[in-house]
């Protein structure tokens, strides 16, 4: 016969989570209620996911910042083709890219908020984050928003969304200092 260190009344059971004594409704009931049962089983296999979710969040916004940075370093005539490639990739099945381009926080962010810019050039007030750039491109090109162009689980993607050919260079372009160093193989 095993001895239990916790005192119990006749026919009562103690909840292993909260310690409340209760009358079980079934022979295999271990917890006083559903809340204690859920709280005990939550995170049992993998542990808390707060650090994992925080890292995923950082990766998401880091990638958005780099996409914006890459886009704004391109020559202006190359940007529409690059944006259309990003939109097509998100439409076809790149889920991480689709999440960035349709992120409500990025689309609704103001220019004064840190997330509204996501670009290191603080002197250029015309730079938008990547979601706003893609949304503006879709509105200009097809008169629809980015969510309609890519499609959501409720609506299929727009049929007119196609990849745009790369634009032609119009007029002379001054070579930058870094391009000159690269051409001269100094970098």
């Amino acid at each position: 016969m095993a001895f239990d260190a916790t005192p119990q009344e006749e026919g009562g059971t103690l909840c292993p989570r909260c310690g409340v004594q209760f009358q079980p409704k079934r022979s295999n009931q271990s917890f006083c209620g559903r809340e204690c049962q859920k709280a005990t089983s939550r995170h049992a296999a993998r542990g808390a996911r707060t650090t994992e979710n925080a890292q995923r969040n950082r990766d998401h916004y880091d990638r958005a910042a780099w996409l914006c940075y890459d886009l704004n370093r391109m020559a202006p005539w190359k940007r529409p083709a690059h944006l259309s490639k990003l939109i097509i990739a998100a439409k076809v099945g790149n889920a991480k890219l689709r999440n960035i381009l349709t992120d409500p926080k990025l689309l609704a962010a103001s220019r004064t908020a840190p997330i509204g810019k996501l670009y290191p050039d603080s002197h250029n007030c015309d730079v938008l984050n990547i979601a706003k750039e893609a949304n503006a491109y879709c509105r200009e090109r097809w008169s629809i928003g980015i969510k309609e162009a890519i499609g959501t689980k409720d609506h299929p993607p727009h049929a007119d969304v196609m990849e745009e050919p790369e634009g032609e260079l119009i007029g002379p372009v001054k070579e930058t200092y870094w391009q000159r160093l690269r051409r001269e193989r100094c970098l």
Side-chain angles (χ1 to χ4, degrees):
M1 178 173 178
F3 292 100
D4 191 5
T6 57
Q8 293 184 8
E9 291 181 10
E10 189 70 27
T13 305
L14 280 178
C15 177
R17 181 173 184 273
C18 64
V20 172
Q21 192 164 8
F22 69 98
Q23 187 65 35
K25 296 178 181 146
R26 295 175 317 278
S27 62
N28 63 347
Q29 184 177 354
S30 302
F31 299 95
C32 62
R34 187 78 178 133
E35 295 83 21
C36 283
Q37 183 181 7
K38 280 184 176 181
T40 303
S41 66
R42 193 175 300 134
H43 308 307
R46 291 177 54 195
R49 294 183 178 96
T50 54
T51 55
E52 182 182 327
N53 291 341
Q55 182 61 43
R56 188 179 309 117
N57 205 15
R58 277 192 301 274
D59 291 345
H60 173 80
Y61 289 110
D62 282 348
R63 186 170 185 207
W66 278 108
L67 285 169
C68 181
Y69 182 75
D70 289 344
L71 180 72
N72 286 292
R73 288 194 60 199
M74 286 181 184
W77 67 87
K78 290 184 179 182
R79 290 180 190 169
H82 183 70
L83 277 171
S84 72
K85 287 178 186 176
L86 290 176
I87 292 167
I88 295 298
K91 179 182 170 183
V92 172
N94 187 333
K96 288 183 178 183
L97 186 57
R98 181 175 51 246
N99 290 342
I100 289 172
L101 296 181
T102 60
D103 186 344
K105 285 184 179 179
L106 290 174
L107 288 169
S110 70
R111 293 282 301 147
T112 57
I115 201 168
K117 199 164 195 183
L118 289 180
Y119 186 68
D121 184 11
S122 60
H123 301 296
N124 188 353
C125 61
D126 297 329
V127 176
L128 301 173
N129 65 43
I130 192 68
K132 286 187 174 188
E133 289 275 359
N135 194 40
Y137 173 78
C138 289
R139 294 228 181 261
E140 179 185 315
R141 181 86 164 106
W142 301 295
S143 302
I144 57 173
I146 186 70
K147 290 182 180 181
E148 293 86 14
I150 293 174
T152 60
K153 59 184 171 186
D154 301 332
H155 302 290
H158 202 270
D160 292 341
V161 177
M162 294 180 292
E163 193 171 326
E164 189 171 309
E166 193 166 310
E168 295 291 322
L169 171 63
I170 301 170
V173 175
K174 184 178 176 185
E175 184 179 42
T176 66
Y177 172 74
W178 299 105
Q179 288 171 338
R180 183 177 59 84
L181 287 177
R182 191 175 299 131
R183 181 176 48 81
E184 294 173 355
R185 301 196 190 279
C186 294
L187 274 181

